[in-house]
Amino acid sequence: MAIDVSREALEADLGSGVSLIDPLRNHRWDRFVNSHPYGWITHLSGWKRVLDNNFPHMCGYYLALTAPGGGIKAALPIYAVRSWLTGRRLVSIPFATLCDPLVSEPSEMEILCDAVLRLAEHLEIPRIEIRTAQAPHLLDRERFRTDCGLKHHFIRLSRDPEEVRMRFHRSCVRQRILRAERSGLNIIRGRRERDLMDFYLLHRGMRRKKGLPPQPYALVKSLWQTFSGQGLAELLLCRKGAETIAGVLLFNYKGRVSIEYSAMNTDHISCSPLHFLLWNIIKDACRAGYQRFDFGQTKEQNKSLMDFKSHWGTEILDLPHFLYPSDSELSPPIYDRSLARKALHYLCNKAPDTALAYLGEFCYRHMG
C-alpha cells in the first residue's frame, strides 16, 4: 500500500517547475492535450474520470512542467497501481492502448523523469513503466530497460477510399469485403445500453475463446458513456437480420480513428462481418477527412492477429515500454509469468459466464 503523502509535500520535492495538476478541476489540461502533437484520448480528463470511478486501487498523479507565464509546457500523467497480487508500480497510462509522455524535447523528458523517480521514492514504489508510441526517442535508454514486445498497426488515409482499398491484401481482405457486401449485412450506431450489452456479450465470448479475462462491463460502459457524450467514441454494430453478429467500439480524435474494442460471433465468420464493419468505418473516415486509422496494439507473438492487421496494408511501429529499474532480473508482475498465464488461460476457457465476469473483475483490479 502506498504511503499517504500530501500534495504540498510532493510538489515541494518534485523539482523546479514541476507541479501536480488535477485534470478534473483544471481546464487548462484538456486544452493542453488538444494542442500537443502527442495528445490522445487517454490523456484527457475523461480518462482519469473513468479510472477513478472503476479502479480504487489506482491513484493518478499528473505531473506538469509549467512555463514562466503559468501555462503547461510538458506533462506526464502517471498512476500509482497498488496490488497485493501484482505489486506496486507507477504506470503511464493504465489501460491505454496508445499513449505518450506529452513532451517535445529530451530536456523536458529528463526533468519529468527525475520528478517521477522522486515520486516513486516518496510513495515507496519499486517499479515504473512509461509507455510510448511516438515519443520513444525522447527517453533515456540508459536509465530505463526497454520492452518492445507490442506493435502498432495503422493505415494512412486519403480522401478517396478506393485508393486505400487497393492497398488491402487481395484474397485475405478485398475478397472478404466483397463476400460481406453480398451477405445482407447492415450497420447500426449503438445508442442504447441494450446495444452496448449486445456488443459486450460478443466481446466477452471472444475473450473466453482466447483464454483472456474480459474487461469489466462497468469499464466498457464508462468509456462509452464518457467519450460518446463528447463525440469522441462510437459504437457500431453489424447485424444480419435482427441478430448482432459483430461490433466495434472506436475512438475518434484529432484526425485519427482508432479501434478500441472489437468482437464477432464466430458462427458467422463465413460472411466476414468484421471486415464489413472495418471497411465501412475506413470509408467514412476517409470521407470525413481523417488522416489515420489505428488498429491498436498487438503482442508480437500473436501471429494470427499480426497477420490479420498486416493484410489491411498497415504500417507497423514498435510500442516501447520503458521500465525502471533497468535491472532485467527484477521480477515481472505475477500475471506475466508463464505458469500464471497458462492457469488463467485454462480458467477463462472453462469458467461459466457468471464466473468469467467475476474473474475479469478480479484480474482488472490487479492490472494496469
Side-chain angles (χ1 to χ4, degrees), residues 7 11 14 18-23 29 33 42-45 47-49 51-52 59-65 75-79 93 119:
R7 175 189 175 117
E11 287 199 1
L14 286 178
V18 179
S19 59
L20 293 173
I21 283 183
D22 182 352
W29 178 262
V33 172
T42 53
H43 296 103
L44 292 171
S45 59
W47 196 265
K48 184 178 191 300
R49 184 177 293 108
L51 295 183
D52 288 352
C59 180
Y61 299 91
Y62 284 64
L63 279 60
L65 181 61
L76 179 61
I78 198 156
Y79 280 73
I93 301 170
L119 176 65

Side-chain angles (χ1 to χ4, degrees), residues 157-169:
L157 303 178
S158 71
R159 286 287 185 176
D160 181 5
E162 287 303 316
E163 180 184 320
V164 178
R165 180 174 176 147
M166 293 307 296
R167 300 183 217 142
F168 301 163
H169 189 284

Side-chain angles (χ1 to χ4, degrees), residues 12-269:
D13 200 45
L14 286 178
S16 177
V18 179
S19 59
L20 293 173
I21 283 183
D22 182 352
L24 299 176
R25 297 182 180 181
N26 191 324
H27 297 299
R28 291 183 303 166
W29 178 262
D30 280 353
R31 290 198 298 269
F32 168 69
V33 172
N34 191 55
S35 66
H36 198 282
Y38 300 155
W40 180 237
I41 282 178
T42 53
H43 296 103
L44 292 171
S45 59
W47 196 265
K48 184 178 191 300
R49 184 177 293 108
V50 169
L51 295 183
D52 288 352
N53 290 341
N54 289 278
F55 300 107
H57 70 295
M58 297 180 182
C59 180
Y61 299 91
Y62 284 64
L63 279 60
L65 181 61
T66 53
I72 304 173
K73 184 180 180 183
L76 179 61
I78 198 156
Y79 280 73
V81 180
R82 304 184 298 271
S83 166
W84 58 265
L85 181 63
T86 59
R88 291 173 291 119
R89 58 209 184 275
L90 287 174
V91 179
S92 179
I93 301 170
F95 304 122
T97 304
L98 300 171
C99 65
D100 274 296
L102 299 179
V103 296
S104 301
E105 53 189 53
S107 60
E108 295 172 351
M109 191 70 250
E110 184 175 358
I111 292 170
L112 288 168
C113 281
D114 288 341
V116 168
L117 290 173
R118 294 189 187 100
L119 176 65
E121 184 178 357
H122 270 294
L123 301 178
E124 296 185 356
I125 291 179
R127 298 201 307 270
I128 299 169
E129 180 179 345
I130 298 175
R131 300 167 181 175
T132 64
Q134 301 177 77
H137 59 289
L138 298 174
L139 278 89
D140 182 354
R141 292 177 182 267
E142 293 184 3
R143 177 180 278 184
F144 295 89
R145 177 167 59 92
T146 309
D147 181 352
C148 292
L150 291 172
K151 306 298 178 181
H152 171 50
H153 294 71
F154 70 93
I155 298 171
R156 297 184 193 273
L157 303 178
S158 71
R159 286 287 185 176
D160 181 5
E162 287 303 316
E163 180 184 320
V164 178
R165 180 174 176 147
M166 293 307 296
R167 300 183 217 142
F168 301 163
H169 189 284
R170 178 178 175 81
S171 61
C172 295
V173 177
R174 281 192 276 166
Q175 289 181 7
R176 284 181 174 271
I177 291 171
L178 287 172
R179 182 192 310 163
E181 290 174 335
R182 297 171 185 149
S183 298
L185 306 180
N186 64 88
I187 294 174
I188 69 159
R189 281 174 168 76
R191 304 189 188 281
R192 306 167 300 163
E193 188 170 348
R194 177 67 253 176
D195 298 328
L196 184 68
M197 180 57 74
D198 285 348
F199 166 74
Y200 181 76
L201 293 176
L202 286 178
H203 179 69
R204 189 176 68 184
M206 284 193 69
R207 298 283 288 184
R208 175 199 296 282
K209 290 184 177 181
K210 294 175 182 176
L212 298 172
Q215 288 87 353
Y217 176 69
L219 170 61
V220 178
K221 178 181 175 181
S222 186
L223 286 171
W224 179 58
Q225 290 181 331
T226 297
F227 292 111
S228 64
Q230 302 175 39
L232 304 180
E234 197 167 10
L235 176 66
L236 296 176
L237 303 176
C238 179
R239 286 183 174 167
K240 188 173 180 62
E243 183 182 2
T244 299
I245 61 173
V248 294
L249 179 63
L250 58 88
F251 289 155
N252 48 76
Y253 182 58
K254 293 173 62 175
R256 291 165 59 185
V257 175
S258 180
I259 300 299
E260 191 65 15
Y261 300 118
S262 63
M264 179 180 65
N265 183 338
T266 53
D267 290 342
H268 294 275
I269 195 170

